Each structure stands twice: as structure tokens, then as C-alpha cells.
Amino acid sequence: MKELLILSGKGGTGKTSIAGALAMLLPETVLADCDVDAADLHLLLSPQVREEHAFWSGVEAVIDPILCAGCGLCADLCEFHAIRMEEKAELKLFSCEGCGVCARFCPEHAIRLQEKQCGVWFRSDTEYGPMVHARLGIGEENSGKLVSLVKKRARELAEVEKASWLLVDGPPGIGCPVIASFSGADFVLLITEPTLAGLHDLQRVADLARHFKVSVGVCINKWDLHPGYSADIERLCREQGIPVLAKIPFDRAVVWAVVAAMPLPKHAPNSPAALAVYGLYEKIISLAQGN
Amino acid sequence: MKIAVASGKGGVGKTTIAVSLALAADIPVQYVDCDVEEPNGHIFLRPVLDQCREITLTVPEIIEEKCTGCGECRDICRFNAITVFGVMAMAFNELCHACGGCFLVCPEAALVRGKRLLGILETGQAGKIRFSHGILRVGEAMSVPLIAAVREAAEQEGGLIILDAPPGTSCPLIATIIGADYTLLVSEETPFGLHDLQLAVGVLRKLDQHFGVIINRADLGDGKTGQWCRRENIPVHLEIPFERGIAEGYAAGKPLIHCRPELLPVFASLLKELTS
């Protein structure tokens, strides 16, 4: 089984559209949507949810207003400025890191730590293979941990299914959730766009991939919006020994496939963008066979 | 006055809008890039950066001679950043959240305050705009304290502050928008755009903060984002069409209102409306 992780650094470059298209093309695939902050792959693949599980992670302080004497020690000790002092201590929304320092030092024992549900995760079936995905609760933290959980469950599922591929749609950025998505990946496909911002962010995420010693390939999406920068990206990749696997043209069919809630090759199999995706798919298959 | 520009989804045009607002301001303004994982504002504003500061997190360092291996520090640490081997504690500072609990409980005063580099804060000037951004160290997982440091530095200077937020709806977004006077949510007319806008609206409503929407590439898609906003009584301040010229300008790092100068008064009046 090969694990293919799709990342971009910059958001909005087309990770999910390309992940959805590859989900349809790759054989015997298990899918994982690791962009738990703003999961969108389900909008393309219309999964039938088979299992739904609560995601519990970490703890949050709960202050008992009856026991609280309003001494303010908890607010003084909290490095996250999560406690507001009025007459009594009050926890600020979305600020508690769950470190437990307040509970440990409260002289009145007015603070306890409560486990919290940070989201839900799903095991679903799609036309293109089983899928593990999740939804982080509104404004919840621990997205890195939820990403790790989604990947773990997806990998278990891939083993049970004897899948050939585990296809992972990753989150944007280079921070906690992206770092969590790296573990176990055999290959990272970096989606970029021919803009100065795309180039800048590609460099950072490529550095991160190098940091984790995972091999990478690049796909330039909407390459013809600026052929000059596409050439710059190709040059940069050549200098760094990163193969450019595909150049996908700007194509409104991609937008309409999303609107139709279908993978691009299904909605518009002969569109210029779909043709380029077939080429990408073939490159990925031959790289996998070469390894 | 703090105006945040956020979106839930990446790549819908947060930076384009935030940069346009900063350029349209006729009062002293700061542009603050809080997307520390992938800051892009500098590409469009091309600031002259004159200050750079390292932002660090306070993490424990264990003094071997003093540590007795009692395990108090390990027991209070909820992030598994401290373990005890034999008679000595050992810190895994990449896991540390800097709650400071270990320093408080060590009976031997065997911990000293060490530092972990989170990233850097750079500031400078882009014409009349005071510019700042944070750059997260590659490999660093915790962006929130860096975002907090970037915001704090800007808030000390005051004036009108435009905060360019990171994508998503979890802690980095909240660290940017919490306490903002107004948040502009940028979206697009696709199911992805609408879905992620709905998540971001959920956050804003839970925070009980004021917000409105700007729809980018408004003619590229199904029109359902605008419909949903109207149904939910969310103000749509602006709809920007898809134009190849705008996309090409963006690609080249050219601010929107330089590609489309007629939008300058539109952003100026939006800013007036939001600041009055």
C-alpha cells in the first residue's frame, strides 16, 4: 500500500479538486480528508456515512462559581490569559489550553478539568472507495490530534481492505495539522499555482517535506494564468530536484465539477483540466511502480 | 479599531482584500499578516522591513545537579513534554505548550527558563502603511503564540489595524479575530466557498462578534453563497467578478486596486462605513 499525501502550503490552489479526481482514477483506494478545519472532499465525493464517532481530546477548566472566592490566583498563573476576573473567575471562550495549572493551584478547589468533545469523525463509503473524514467542532483546537486520528483510522481501514492506495487530502499551511498529516506518507504531491504567493508558499512546504524526509512531486494548477511564473516554478523545482508531474490549465470545468458535486473526470472527462489530470495520474502510477 | 479579514477556506482572496483595504485607508493604518504559516501580504505591499525580532516560547531546561527525579513536573505536564528517566527529569520541548506549571511545582528549583524559537516578527513600512508579519519557523507546530505576539506588537502602536487571518476555523483563526471590531469574511460562489464560510460564520456567531461578507470571483459558480447570506441576513459588502486581468495581476503580486483603480473608492467607502 502506498500513501499519497496532497499538500499545497497555500490554500485554494486546488488540493481538494485534484484529490477528488485522483480518488476516482486510482484503483483500490482508501480516502482520508485531513483538512479537518475546513473539510471539503465530502462535497465532491458524496459519502454515505456508515459510522460516526465523537472525538474527545484534551480537557478544559470548569470553574465552580459557588466555591470560587475570587482570589484571582488562577488568572495570575494562567499563561494563556484564559481567565477573566470579575467578582468570580470566569473562563474565556476558546482560550483554555487545558494545562490544568489553575486547577492544581486553586486554594478553594473550585476548578476541575473536564474532558471535552472537539469534533466528530466518520467512516463512510463513496463510489470511489471507503473514506475517513472528520469535522472539528466550532472553534475547537487539537486539529493536529484529529488529523492524526483520521490518518490512523484510514490506515487501519486500508489494511483491512488490502487497498493499493491511501489518498490523503491535506490541510493548508505548514503548522500543526500539516505536520500531523506527514506521518507515514510515502509521497507528497504539492499543488501550487503560478503566482508569487504560490511560489513563496510552495518553497516553505517543500522545506517542510525535506525536514520530514518525504519525497515530493509538484503539480502546477491553473498554470496558464501566468506562464512566466509557471516557468519559474519549474526552474525552482529543477534546481531542487523536485519533479514537476503535471501542469493543469485554468478551466471553468473545475468549478462546475465542484458545483455538480462530482470529481472532475466524471463531470467533464474531456475537459482540458481532466486531460491533464490523467497525465498526473499516470506519472504517479509510474513513480509508484519505480519505487 | 481592528478589522479582521478571514475566510475559513484558503485561496479565496483574504490577502487581496486586506491589502486593498490598507491601501484605501486615508488615516494611519497598520497591515498585520497573521497567516504566519504562509504570509503573503509582503508580496503585494512590498514593505521596507527595518525591524526583525525572534519570538520564542518559554520552555523548561533541567539542571541535572539539582533534579532529584521526583516526577512532580512530569505529573503536572498534560502535554507529555516531561518524562523521568531513573533519577532525572527530561524535557521534550517540542511538545511543550509553555503553561509554566513545571516551574511552579518543582520543589528543588531545578528548572530554568529556556527558549524555543517559534518564528520571527518583522515590521516595516510600505508607503503610508505600517506593515508587520510573523513567519513561523519551518517545523514548528504552534502558531498561536506567534500570532498573539504579532497582534500584540501592532496593538501597542494602535490606530486602524487590518488583520489578515489564516485559513481554517480553529485556533489560529480565533487567535487572529478574537476581539476584532469587525470581521470581513471572504468567500466565493462554489460549494467549497459556501461550506467553509458557514463554518467561519459559526465561529463569529459563537464569539458574538460583528461580521459581513465579501464574495470574490462572484460570477464563477452557482450563486448560492450570496443567496445563503441574504437568507441569513448577513451583509454582503462587495462582489468582485472573476477577471483574467485580476488573476494575472494577483499572480504578479500586483494589488487588486492597482489592476482595477476604479475599486479604490469602493474600498475607501467600505472602510469609512466600517470605521464610522
Side-chain angles (χ1 to χ4, degrees):
Chain A
M1 200 250 303
K2 293 277 179 201
E3 183 175 322
L4 174 64
L5 168 64
I6 301 185
L7 290 178
S8 67
K10 182 168 162 39
T13 56
K15 273 186 303 298
T16 301
S17 286
I18 290 168
L22 290 175
M24 178 179 158
L25 299 175
L26 287 168
E28 295 154 354
T29 305
V30 167
L31 309 160
D33 190 346
C34 281
D35 187 357
V36 299
D37 258 32
D40 283 340
L41 190 58
H42 65 284
L43 297 173
L44 281 183
L45 304 182
S46 313
Q48 295 286 313
V49 174
R50 298 292 177 214
E51 294 171 26
E52 182 176 333
H53 302 270
F55 167 63
W56 293 84
S57 179
V59 292
E60 192 168 70
V62 178
I63 303 167
D64 184 336
I66 294 166
L67 293 177
C68 175
C71 73
L73 181 63
C74 54
D76 291 344
L77 292 181
C78 179
E79 292 284 342
F80 308 103
H81 313 292
I83 297 173
R84 184 188 306 113
M85 283 309 300
E86 304 285 338
E87 205 175 308
K88 309 261 179 174
E90 267 174 49
L91 197 72
K92 289 190 215 162
L93 200 59
F94 301 135
S95 301
C96 178
E97 193 87 2
C99 69
V101 167
C102 55
R104 165 73 186 259
F105 288 95
C106 173
E108 317 296 336
H109 303 287
I111 306 179
R112 65 190 171 83
L113 298 176
Q114 185 175 284
E115 297 276 324
K116 60 175 182 172
Q117 185 182 341
C118 297
V120 284
W121 67 274
F122 310 94
R123 204 198 70 70
S124 301
D125 286 330
T126 76
E127 217 177 302
Y128 318 99
M131 170 164 163
V132 180
H133 49 126
R135 191 174 62 230
L136 198 65
I138 286 177
E140 285 297 348
E141 53 175 328
N142 281 325
S143 60
K145 283 189 182 165
L146 184 52
V147 167
S148 298
L149 179 74
V150 166
K151 279 204 66 164
K152 187 162 172 255
R153 294 290 175 248
R155 197 171 300 128
E156 288 164 4
L157 189 60
E159 276 160 20
V160 172
E161 301 270 329
K162 297 192 170 39
S164 304
W165 291 91
L166 175 57
L167 178 64
V168 183
D169 188 9
I174 59 161
C176 165
V178 176
I179 288 172
S181 72
F182 263 99
S183 84
D186 295 296
F187 191 78
V188 178
L189 177 63
L190 300 175
I191 314 295
T192 186
E193 58 179 21
T195 65
L196 283 175
L199 194 65
H200 174 261
D201 296 349
L202 174 68
Q203 183 64 67
R204 279 170 63 79
V205 76
D207 289 347
L208 188 69
R210 199 169 294 128
H211 180 88
F212 288 107
K213 301 182 170 62
V214 182
S215 49
V216 295
V218 161
C219 168
I220 308 174
N221 196 13
K222 306 175 217 171
W223 76 271
D224 51 344
L225 275 185
H226 200 298
Y229 288 128
S230 286
D232 289 347
I233 291 170
E234 288 183 81
R235 190 174 318 118
L236 179 89
C237 290
R238 210 162 35 240
E239 282 163 13
Q240 304 196 0
I242 299 171
V244 174
L245 303 179
K247 287 162 69 181
I248 299 176
F250 175 78
D251 187 346
R252 283 171 194 253
V254 178
V255 176
W256 288 110
V258 176
V259 170
M262 277 185 206
L264 173 69
K266 186 168 182 183
H267 185 257
N270 297 315
S271 60
L275 297 177
V277 170
Y278 301 141
L280 172 65
Y281 157 76
E282 279 163 18
K283 286 269 178 60
I284 290 169
I285 291 286
S286 71
L287 273 174
Q289 282 165 348
N291 285 341
Chain B
M1 172 94 193
K2 292 184 288 262
I3 299 174
V5 183
S7 71
K9 181 165 165 44
V12 288
K14 276 183 297 299
T15 299
T16 301
I17 301 299
V19 163
S20 301
L21 284 171
L23 287 169
D26 57 5
I27 51 174
V29 62
Q30 294 190 63
Y31 167 93
V32 182
D33 199 336
C34 293
D35 186 0
V36 301
E37 293 182 45
E38 303 290 6
N40 287 151
H42 64 285
I43 291 170
F44 299 90
L45 288 170
R46 299 171 203 251
V48 179
L49 296 168
D50 49 25
Q51 282 176 48
C52 176
R53 181 149 69 87
E54 287 192 340
I55 304 295
T56 58
L57 204 60
T58 302
V59 296
E61 270 170 23
I62 292 148
I63 308 170
E64 283 184 38
E65 302 77 57
K66 287 189 178 176
C67 179
T68 60
C70 71
E72 289 278 339
C73 56
R74 172 199 58 203
D75 295 344
I76 197 172
C77 180
R78 299 196 61 93
F79 308 105
N80 303 314
I82 303 184
T83 187
V84 176
F85 281 118
V87 292
M88 212 189 102
M90 199 173 157
F92 297 94
N93 283 334
E94 287 295 315
L95 299 174
C96 178
H97 286 220
C99 71
C102 52
F103 298 112
L104 296 170
V105 296
C106 177
E108 318 294 342
L111 301 175
V112 290
R113 286 165 203 277
K115 283 176 179 174
R116 175 171 109 219
L117 179 66
L118 291 172
I120 58 171
L121 163 59
E122 288 183 319
T123 48
Q125 202 70 31
K128 289 187 294 184
I129 302 166
R130 188 79 193 135
F131 176 96
S132 60
H133 64 184
I135 304 177
L136 190 70
R137 172 174 61 84
V138 172
E140 171 59 54
M142 280 177 67
S143 60
V144 166
L146 178 57
I147 294 170
V150 172
R151 264 191 71 164
E152 207 171 290
E155 281 162 20
Q156 273 169 10
E157 290 196 31
L160 172 62
I161 298 174
I162 310 280
L163 300 160
D164 191 353
T169 54
S170 66
C171 10
L173 172 75
I174 288 164
T176 306
I177 65 170
I178 201 160
D181 298 288
Y182 199 83
T183 300
L184 285 167
L185 294 171
V186 187
S187 188
E188 57 183 22
E189 286 290 0
T190 65
F192 290 173
L194 174 58
H195 176 258
D196 297 348
L197 173 67
Q198 288 169 337
L199 295 176
V201 165
V203 173
L204 265 306
R205 283 187 173 151
K206 208 163 162 183
L207 284 170
D208 203 15
Q209 290 189 186
H210 299 293
F211 63 93
V213 168
I214 289 180
I215 302 177
N216 197 11
R217 300 187 281 259
D219 51 346
L220 203 62
D222 56 7
K224 289 191 175 156
T225 305
Q227 285 169 25
W228 181 77
C229 291
R230 282 188 289 278
R231 219 164 42 236
E232 294 281 322
N233 291 319
I234 298 168
V236 175
H237 295 288
L238 198 55
E239 295 190 35
I240 300 168
F242 175 79
E243 268 174 34
R244 210 181 161 97
I246 294 177
E248 283 169 7
Y250 172 84
K254 208 169 149 190
L256 172 64
I257 56 177
H258 292 176
C259 305
R260 290 279 306 273
E262 72 277 19
L263 286 174
L264 181 65
V266 176
F267 278 99
S269 70
L270 173 58
L271 208 50
K272 282 230 165 62
E273 186 192 330
L274 297 181
T275 51
S276 63

